[in-house]
């Protein structure tokens, strides 16, 4: 009786091990961004130093998370009219490009009151440790009404933040 219990336990353990290894194979073959994709990350995931020539202050940090969320930050003192240094958003892979949207709240520097929000929609391409993005901006005033938006004709250029900073330094010199 004891031998049959040990054999049963051994068979259950072996079955669990075989099932787990099969799941690893499925996860390895799963497209990026699916529930089975635990270990692999999309090429955009990470931290990027981004130069936006359309912005009042051209240097930004973008963080793209594996769960499809993102953050953007730039120095608060970069815009003399409004405080607009922090944005949050989402991204999704669309074949060879990424679509992203993030929102930035603004405050009037004189009155310290809510001034409105900016919504940035972006088309991003990642090639290795470089990214290029084209953005469209929508502006909304404090009451929520649409306001004139700046034109954004120039592309954003980004370099992945790495332990060795040669790429980011080259971005800052351009």
């Amino acid at each position: 009786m004891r031998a049959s219990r040990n054999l049963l336990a051994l068979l259950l353990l072996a079955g669990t091990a075989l099932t787990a290894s099969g799941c690893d194979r499925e996860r390895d073959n799963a497209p990026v961004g699916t529930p089975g994709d635990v270990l692999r990350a999309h090429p955009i995931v990470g931290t990027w130093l981004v130069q936006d020539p359309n912005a009042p202050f051209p240097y930004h940090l973008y963080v793209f998370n594996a769960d499809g969320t993102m953050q953007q930050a730039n120095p608060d003192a970069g815009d003399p009219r409004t405080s607009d240094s922090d944005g949050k958003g989402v991204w999704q892979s669309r074949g060879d490009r990424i679509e992203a949207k993030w929102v930035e709240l603004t405050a009037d520097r004189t009155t310290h009151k809510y001034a409105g929000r900016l919504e940035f929609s972006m088309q991003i391409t990642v090639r290795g440790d470089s990214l290029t993005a084209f953005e469209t901006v929508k502006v909304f005033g404090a009451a929520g009404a649409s306001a004139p938006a700046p034109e954004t004709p120039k592309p954003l250029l980004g370099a992945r933040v790495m332990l060795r900073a040669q790429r980011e330094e080259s971005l800052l010199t351009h």
Side-chain angles (χ1 to χ4, degrees), residues 76 79 81-86 103-109 111-120 139-142:
D76 183 56
D79 188 335
R81 296 171 288 117
T82 60
S83 173
D84 57 3
S85 61
D86 186 53
V103 179
E104 184 175 65
L105 303 178
T106 61
D108 184 283
R109 288 198 184 279
T111 66
H112 305 287
K113 297 199 184 274
Y114 175 66
R117 74 181 188 279
L118 290 87
E119 294 184 2
F120 298 82
V139 178
F140 299 90

Side-chain angles (χ1 to χ4, degrees), residues 2-85:
R2 184 176 181 140
S4 62
R5 272 190 279 182
N6 287 343
L7 181 59
L8 179 61
L10 184 59
L11 289 173
L12 287 174
L13 184 60
T16 303
L18 288 172
T19 302
S21 67
C23 290
D24 285 343
R25 234 185 324 273
E26 288 177 22
R27 180 181 60 227
D28 291 342
N29 295 328
V32 173
T34 63
D37 178 34
V38 176
L39 298 178
R40 294 183 310 135
H42 189 279
I44 199 166
V45 172
T47 304
W48 298 82
L49 178 60
V50 177
Q51 186 175 18
D52 182 349
N54 307 300
F57 189 86
Y59 300 104
H60 302 253
L61 286 170
Y62 283 46
V63 176
F64 292 91
N65 304 302
D67 68 356
T69 59
M70 66 163 297
Q71 299 89 40
Q72 173 277 338
N74 62 301
D76 183 56
D79 188 335
R81 296 171 288 117
T82 60
S83 173
D84 57 3
S85 61

